[in-house]
Amino acid sequence: MGFFVVQNLLHTLWLTPCLLFVCGFNLLASEQPADSTSVSDTSRVYELREVLVTASRIPQTASLSAAPITNLDLHTFEQSNASSLGGVLSMVPGLFVKDYGGGGSLQTIAQRGLGPEHTVVLLNGMRVGNPQHNIVDLALISTDEIERIEILHGGNSASYGADAVAGVVNVVTKGAVKSNSIRAATSIGSFGYRKIDLSAGLSSGLMMTTAGYREEKGRNNFPFVFENGQDKVALVRQNADFSSRLGTLSSEIGFDSENSLALHARVFSSERGIPGAVSGPAISSVARQIDNDDLAQLRYAGSSSAAIRYHLGLQYHYAKYRYSDPQFLVGSLPLYNESNVSEVRVEPGVNVALTDNLRAALGFEFARADAKGNSLSNEIRRTSQGAFCSVEQKIIPWTDALPAFYVYPALRFDRIATSQHVLSSWSPQLGLVVPLKQLGAITPTLRASVSRNFSAPTFNMLYYAGGGGVGNPRLRPERSSSFDVGGSLDCNFLGRQTATLSYFDIDMNDRIQWVATGTMIVTPKNIRSVRSRGIECSYRWIMPEGLGELNANYTSSSTRKIAEDFAGDPNVGTQLIYVPQEMANVSFSSTKVFENEPVEKIGGAISMMYTGYVFTTEDNASFLPSHTIMNCSVFATLAFMPCRVSLRVEANNVFDESYQVISLYPMPGRSFRATLGIELTE
Amino acid sequence: MRFTVLPLVLLVLVGCRNDPAGPNNGQNSRPIERGVYVLNEGDFNTPNDARLSALDIDRDIVVTDLFESGNAGAHLGTVGDDMKFHNGRAYIVMSRSQNLVVMNLSTLAKEAEVFFPGSAVHDLLIDSVGNRLFLTRLFSSSVFVLNLSTLTVIDSISVGSNPQGMALANGKLFVCNSGYGSDKTVSVVSTGTNDVITTLTVGDGPTQAALASDGKIWVACTGNAFATPPTTGSIFMVDPVTNTKVDSLLFSENLWGTISIGSDGYAYVLGVTSGNFYGGPVHRISTLTKIIITNFISGTYYGLAFDNVVREIYVADVKNFSGNGEAKIYTSAGALRKTFAAQKGPAVFCFKR
């Protein structure tokens, strides 16, 4: 404990001058007289950048969501320094991003102690998970593409169907820009990092179009220390290089104020070395992985009256994966795995305001996924149908002594079928939100939600036929019950402050585990029961006078095996591996905007992420120690209209902490990155 | 504002839980004069988790972390797969850290270490006559030939898929190409030229081989539970003079693949326990009559060895890798004589007299 405290105090001593530096120019700036200073804080409206979210598929604000919601926007991206979706999500309470070595390495999400296959990832509201393994590699989605992210915590199969057991992540991409513009940016950084980002926007009448191209690469050959008892061997990460190319096209046609058509298309390819696990000082890997991920979405939204809005989403998604390892022979041939997965989705829906106090969302989802690959036993076609209905009922009590409150019942039916495997599931949910009476500057809100959720076996679980394992077509879906209760406090005092607290409890049965069934052969079975409980709290303070924004959150959770996997299993009650019992994040950013000055904006951000220790073995005998990572950045924008120049300098892992998120996968130490951008706007 | 930010940061950073105490990195212990050494495989995903423990016969105590105690806390490596004793030294191979460690059995000090980058070295065999050491490369379909004195690689022999166990007889090396059930061949290699003389087809998943008292090589095959139709375990007897199969035994269930030939006239093999994941019971086969007694020792065992001096059977229970395992000693009549503690994943036994 003593060492831990001293270590963190040392970090804090470093942190303090950095924070003061970041705040400094704003404190100075705030000394200048300004009109707004004469207005009291309690009477000023502070922009929370609260956006409409779709927790129950009914547009609503986050404060009226029955399930806890985290909204991340460009401001949060600035604070995190993250270049990928995974880096941003690691700032969110309850989310643990499993990072297999930084740079272009695999990143997966683990929410509320469950696996990556238990969180649904949406792109603009439509599911993008690969049905072969139901894992989204967060490293392959750049923050350059993202406008905002909505994270729905807790089970939500009633709205989103299969796999929404731990939560839903909806990534909203940047749409078409509303002016004619050209933007170019380039980045350079440690370990051979290079990036160029080009985009052009065209706006003409009702139509707006933006096209973009991005190239990113890095050697990622960072130094690290391999420990063997008391010996420490200095090594350099090998075969960790990555390169990716992304082309995007976003177009919007606004027929009128109510009817619009939006297109989003992306063509992505990447190649990366797979450095593998460092299980000894002489490990050398030459494995390579090539990914292609192409997607096209067409979304139409319209209305026939003020009370009825309808929408239709069409999506085509194609993913190709190739993995080769010349050192790993299967017979006399080097290992080569390839898979091709394509999916077509059609999602019509309607939102109806039946009365002032009663709204409903009805919708359908139809999907057909086709997969083939040399690690699957046969070509697979899966068809999915889902139908859901969500209702928001505002109830006004008979007496003013009681507050009005909202009830959110929802129900969904899913049927998912392959040639050998059919599952159907009803998923109910009931939510409650009670906005309490304002207490001075504070507005408290209480909420609760209970739901029944499920997760469908992936193609690999059902039909894997590659080396070392065999799929099991007899698998049942994983079932879970989820309960959430919590509240929030909104306060207009010294700016805008919001605090939220949630308690969650997920009880999961029939969890699928890959288990050994012979010499080096594993197969999945429905054998595990898991209970995950914990609290998530967050705090956001948008300070007055644009002084800055502070975000802090803390998660404490316990995810334990509650029944024997096999007769005599001694590990009942132990914490699951790679589930930190504690996580905490603090980030602060400050931006000063100057009017009519060549320097348009200048600012800085600092963030610290603490991840508690994680067990790496089921008997909880081995663990990875806790780590604290600090990132910081400064940025400025110069305006010489119509040209705007932006500069950003980032330092990551400032204290050069040596750590691993996944055992045997070292993470990079201190690194730097600089980005220069030029934008021409009409 | 400044005074508000700092306490918040402090609260988050200092208010968090301590890390657990670190794992035991070894204890002081003196070398074992007489005893049975146990190579504990360790956890697959924990670096440097392979451990060497021993039952000291004279003191009747179990000593753990033997290698650490003789090498200032340094570890063997990751996933200990095989161990052989020769000329006062232990040769220990780790597949996941891809290294071979030579330890002096008198001092417990490491005498040499060789790394094989890119090669998951898995089983080893020492040819004291030819002064060579053979190492199967699990995912490279080949066998390394090392000079035993210098530990340098002098040749590489291409064999079948996922080679594991080996046996030496009549100037030939017999390599089991397991394919994890998908291969069914044994490569016969001339130790004079390091060339493959012939390839024999046996049962699915040949995994371990041993030289029996009748001069035949007994090859234990796992079978393939995932083939269509599934195949069960078998033992094939190979004549090392003619390089031909001379007999075979078919089991009604799969085998784990481990085989040990006893000096009591029996061969012992491990089966597979239905519903369990790491090994199975001990079956006994008369080397003379070929009569099989299934479940001679019931239980689920991952490692097996026969002590030819006192004629006792040693079995290792890894307890599903859910914690430290244990070892048991059975008499040749099948009676339990002793149970002693091991570390995580006990897999291989070697005897020092």
Side-chain angles (χ1 to χ4, degrees):
Chain A
M1 175 66 186
F3 174 74
F4 180 80
V5 171
V6 170
Q7 188 186 34
N8 283 315
L9 281 175
L10 284 172
H11 284 186
T12 310
L13 288 174
W14 273 91
L15 174 64
T16 307
C18 298
L19 274 173
L20 293 178
F21 165 75
V22 169
C23 298
F25 53 80
N26 269 315
L27 290 169
L28 291 172
S30 65
E31 289 167 3
Q32 298 167 3
D35 292 345
S36 57
T37 52
S38 59
V39 183
S40 71
D41 284 322
T42 50
S43 64
R44 187 175 296 121
V45 176
Y46 292 95
E47 180 60 41
L48 246 186
R49 299 186 298 281
E50 194 167 70
V51 291
L52 293 176
V53 295
T54 51
S56 58
R57 301 268 193 174
I58 300 170
Q60 60 188 174
T61 58
S63 60
L64 287 183
S65 165
I69 279 189
T70 303
N71 283 318
L72 303 179
D73 54 20
L74 293 172
H75 219 71
T76 326
F77 303 168
E78 274 183 350
Q79 289 182 339
S80 72
N81 277 6
S83 59
S84 71
L85 177 59
V88 175
L89 293 181
S90 62
M91 302 283 291
V92 176
L95 263 67
F96 177 55
V97 174
K98 294 179 177 175
D99 194 324
Y100 290 73
S105 302
L106 174 68
Q107 291 177 330
T108 64
I109 192 173
Q111 192 170 8
R112 292 188 164 178
L114 301 180
E117 68 277 20
H118 299 129
T119 294
V120 171
V121 178
L122 311 170
L123 196 73
N124 299 318
M126 301 184 80
R127 181 185 290 248
V128 289
N130 185 328
Q132 183 167 358
H133 41 61
N134 213 10
I135 289 173
V136 174
D137 186 348
L138 307 175
L140 302 185
I141 300 176
S142 164
T143 50
D144 294 337
E145 299 178 66
I146 305 171
E147 183 172 291
R148 60 188 167 85
I149 307 167
E150 301 167 4
I151 297 107
L152 185 59
H153 303 266
N156 213 306
S157 287
S159 293
Y160 292 97
D163 316 318
V165 174
V168 178
V169 174
N170 184 19
V171 178
V172 180
T173 57
K174 287 176 180 169
V177 295
K178 295 176 176 57
S179 59
N180 296 329
S181 64
I182 298 174
R183 183 176 184 277
T186 182
S187 301
I188 186 168
S190 306
F191 317 126
Y193 181 80
R194 302 283 184 277
K195 184 172 78 171
I196 59 165
D197 192 358
L198 307 169
S199 64
L202 191 65
S203 178
S204 168
L206 298 175
M207 186 169 175
M208 298 170 289
T209 301
T210 299
Y213 175 76
R214 193 200 72 203
E215 255 189 55
E216 189 175 17
K217 63 182 177 181
R219 289 192 298 274
N220 210 25
N221 52 345
F222 57 84
F224 66 98
V225 173
F226 179 81
E227 297 187 19
N228 179 14
Q230 295 169 3
D231 292 342
K232 295 184 191 303
V233 185
L235 299 173
V236 174
R237 198 74 164 129
Q238 302 290 338
N239 193 41
D241 63 288
F242 63 95
S243 67
S244 67
R245 292 179 176 82
L246 171 71
T248 56
L249 178 68
S250 295
S251 196
E252 288 177 31
I253 303 173
F255 301 111
D256 52 44
S257 61
E258 301 293 334
N259 294 279
S260 65
L261 185 66
L263 166 76
H264 177 74
R266 73 192 294 269
V267 179
F268 175 83
S269 67
S270 82
E271 179 177 356
R272 49 187 163 168
I274 304 297
V278 183
S279 48
I283 298 301
S284 78
S285 168
V286 292
R288 309 290 297 176
Q289 183 173 323
I290 298 174
D291 288 277
N292 293 86
D293 194 285
D294 306 332
L295 179 135
Q297 288 180 333
L298 196 61
R299 302 186 308 280
Y300 173 74
S303 67
S304 58
S305 70
I308 300 177
R309 292 192 60 81
Y310 44 84
H311 52 89
L312 173 66
L314 306 173
Q315 177 177 284
Y316 173 74
H317 185 198
Y318 170 76
K320 183 171 186 173
Y321 158 91
R322 282 160 287 177
Y323 178 90
S324 61
D325 187 349
Q327 286 181 347
F328 193 110
L329 298 185
V330 180
S332 58
L333 298 174
L335 175 70
Y336 177 74
N337 278 339
E338 177 180 318
S339 71
N340 294 272
V341 180
S342 61
E343 187 182 55
V344 177
R345 303 189 71 83
V346 180
E347 299 185 358
V350 60
N351 287 80
V352 186
L354 296 165
T355 68
D356 287 347
N357 297 327
L358 179 61
R359 296 193 296 162
L362 300 162
F364 300 92
E365 286 182 26
F366 305 99
R368 193 188 79 185
D370 292 280
K372 61 179 180 181
N374 60 359
S375 64
L376 295 171
S377 56
N378 51 298
E379 288 189 24
I380 300 159
R381 169 163 292 178
R382 186 178 80 177
T383 55
S384 313
Q385 297 97 33
F388 64 87
C389 176
S390 300
V391 174
E392 177 193 88
Q393 172 72 64
K394 182 179 180 182
I395 296 176
I396 301 172
W398 63 95
T399 165
D400 290 344
L402 296 173
F405 59 95
Y406 296 81
V407 178
Y408 295 94
L411 183 65
R412 174 170 169 136
F413 175 75
D414 282 279
R415 183 180 185 278
I416 301 171
T418 65
S419 59
Q420 297 176 46
H421 190 269
V422 178
L423 76 85
S424 53
S425 178
W426 288 96
S427 305
Q429 184 166 24
L430 182 63
L432 175 70
V433 175
V434 184
L436 300 176
K437 283 190 174 175
Q438 195 164 332
L439 305 167
I442 299 173
T443 307
T445 304
L446 299 176
R447 65 164 175 270
S449 171
V450 59
S451 60
R452 187 84 176 134
N453 310 291
F454 77 104
S455 184
T458 64
F459 289 177
N460 277 346
M461 292 172 179
L462 294 168
Y463 303 113
Y464 184 74
V470 176
N472 178 3
R474 296 180 300 279
L475 289 173
R476 302 183 299 276
E478 300 171 320
R479 304 278 182 185
S480 75
S481 301
S482 183
F483 172 67
D484 260 283
V485 64
S488 62
L489 294 173
D490 242 331
C491 175
N492 272 329
F493 177 70
L494 290 175
R496 180 79 181 261
Q497 300 180 63
T498 307
T500 64
L501 175 69
S502 299
Y503 169 81
F504 66 88
D505 191 330
I506 301 172
D507 206 339
M508 190 174 203
N509 297 311
D510 281 343
R511 185 164 176 182
I512 296 168
Q513 290 293 113
W514 288 79
V515 294
T517 58
T519 313
M520 293 287 282
I521 299 287
V522 292
T523 194
K525 292 185 177 179
N526 292 92
I527 57 169
R528 181 159 284 188
S529 295
V530 168
R531 188 171 186 191
S532 185
R533 291 178 289 175
I535 58 163
E536 296 163 352
C537 49
S538 66
Y539 171 73
R540 186 175 208 180
W541 180 17
I542 300 175
M543 298 171 188
E545 316 302 336
L547 197 60
E549 177 173 326
L550 176 72
N551 284 287
N553 61 64
Y554 172 78
T555 304
S556 175
S557 65
S558 161
T559 306
R560 295 179 185 275
K561 193 158 73 167
I562 56 173
E564 292 181 336
D565 281 357
F566 51 89
D569 184 350
N571 293 330
V572 176
T574 55
Q575 176 81 356
L576 295 198
I577 61 172
Y578 295 116
V579 179
Q581 295 179 72
E582 284 187 312
M583 292 183 289
N585 297 294
V586 183
S587 58
F588 175 76
S589 64
S590 182
T591 305
K592 179 64 184 171
V593 178
F594 301 91
E595 288 184 12
N596 303 318
E597 300 276 349
V599 178
E600 188 178 76
K601 189 173 85 170
I602 186 166
I606 189 166
S607 66
M608 293 193 76
M609 287 168 282
Y610 167 81
T611 305
Y613 64 88
V614 293
F615 292 114
T616 58
T617 53
E618 291 218 338
D619 59 355
N620 290 178
S622 300
F623 66 95
L624 288 175
S626 58
H627 59 265
T628 305
I629 302 302
M630 178 178 148
N631 300 329
C632 61
S633 62
V634 290
F635 42 87
T637 304
L638 310 176
F640 311 98
M641 298 311 288
C643 177
R644 187 174 277 120
V645 178
S646 60
L647 178 66
R648 181 180 175 88
V649 178
E650 303 168 1
N652 294 307
N653 192 1
V654 174
F655 297 119
D656 203 22
E657 176 116 348
S658 175
Y659 71 107
Q660 296 175 16
V661 180
I662 299 292
S663 181
L664 310 177
Y665 292 84
M667 294 293 292
R670 185 186 301 117
S671 65
F672 300 95
R673 190 171 292 182
T675 301
L676 175 68
I678 299 173
E679 185 176 1
L680 281 168
T681 309
E682 189 178 64
Chain B
M1 194 281 300
R2 282 168 293 185
F3 300 107
T4 314
V5 173
L6 200 56
L8 267 170
V9 174
L10 281 169
L11 179 70
V12 169
L13 295 178
V14 181
C16 297
R17 207 170 303 187
N18 292 336
D19 291 354
N24 175 19
N25 283 328
Q27 61 190 69
N28 291 325
S29 55
R30 66 181 194 223
I32 312 294
E33 294 296 327
R34 293 192 315 133
V36 55
Y37 285 68
V38 183
L39 176 61
N40 300 274
E41 194 172 294
D43 184 75
F44 185 78
N45 282 317
T46 303
N48 292 317
D49 202 38
R51 293 288 186 275
L52 192 59
S53 60
L55 172 66
D56 188 321
I57 292 173
D58 296 323
R59 292 186 286 169
D60 196 26
I61 59 166
V62 171
V63 185
T64 58
D65 298 311
L66 270 172
F67 185 79
E68 285 73 10
S69 68
N71 295 280
H75 302 298
L76 285 165
T78 311
V79 184
D81 276 307
D82 202 4
M83 173 171 68
K84 296 284 189 305
F85 287 176
H86 172 69
N87 204 18
R89 298 181 179 89
Y91 293 75
I92 306 166
V93 65
M94 270 61 59
S95 62
R96 201 142 198 236
S97 48
Q98 303 175 349
N99 60 324
L100 168 73
V101 170
V102 182
M103 185 190 79
N104 187 305
L105 283 168
S106 299
T107 65
L108 302 179
K110 182 173 76 176
E111 289 193 348
E113 183 170 19
V114 185
F115 288 96
F116 304 93
S119 295
V121 285
H122 194 267
D123 285 62
L124 72 91
L125 188 143
I126 292 171
D127 174 9
S128 54
V129 176
N131 194 41
R132 280 173 297 185
L133 186 150
F134 298 97
L135 278 173
T136 50
R137 302 166 72 199
L138 189 61
F139 302 117
S140 306
S141 302
S142 63
V143 176
F144 271 150
V145 186
L146 278 70
N147 180 308
L148 186 59
S149 305
T150 62
L151 296 179
T152 52
V153 177
I154 54 177
D155 205 350
S156 178
I157 307 164
S158 293
V159 293
S161 300
N162 308 112
Q164 295 195 47
M166 295 171 286
L168 197 62
N170 200 35
K172 295 164 198 162
L173 181 72
F174 294 80
V175 184
C176 297
N177 303 311
S178 73
Y180 291 119
S182 64
D183 202 334
K184 48 168 37 181
T185 61
V186 172
S187 298
V188 184
V189 179
S190 162
T191 55
T193 62
N194 294 336
D195 292 328
V196 176
I197 302 167
T198 186
T199 301
L200 303 173
T201 300
V202 292
D204 284 344
T207 302
Q208 296 288 336
L211 180 62
S213 54
D214 61 359
K216 305 293 186 291
I217 301 285
W218 285 45
V219 179
C221 306
T222 58
N224 187 351
F226 300 102
T228 309
T231 58
T232 57
S234 57
I235 293 177
F236 278 73
M237 295 83 181
V238 175
D239 185 339
V241 177
T242 60
N243 303 330
T244 54
K245 294 173 286 185
V246 293
D247 203 353
S248 65
L249 297 169
L250 188 63
F251 287 74
S252 58
E253 295 179 345
N254 291 104
L255 295 181
W256 184 244
T258 310
I259 185 167
S260 184
I261 305 291
S263 57
D264 57 351
Y266 295 99
Y268 297 87
V269 292
L270 291 179
V272 172
T273 301
S274 176
N276 214 312
F277 312 134
Y278 298 101
V282 179
H283 306 315
R284 185 165 88 165
I285 309 109
S286 164
T287 53
L288 184 64
T289 64
K290 309 291 191 302
I291 293 173
I292 302 170
I293 300 176
T294 55
N295 294 305
F296 177 68
I297 299 172
S298 58
T300 301
Y301 302 112
Y302 189 75
L304 165 74
F306 191 89
D307 185 341
N308 284 313
V309 175
V310 292
R311 296 193 172 183
E312 289 181 323
I313 307 156
Y314 283 72
V315 287
D317 181 355
V318 294
K319 298 185 176 297
N320 283 287
F321 283 89
S322 52
N324 283 339
E326 66 180 15
K328 294 177 180 174
I329 308 171
Y330 283 87
T331 66
S332 187
L336 177 64
R337 186 177 74 75
K338 184 178 179 65
T339 299
F340 62 96
Q343 293 180 270
K344 184 167 280 186
V348 181
F349 298 98
C350 280
F351 303 96
K352 184 188 177 196
R353 298 291 178 184

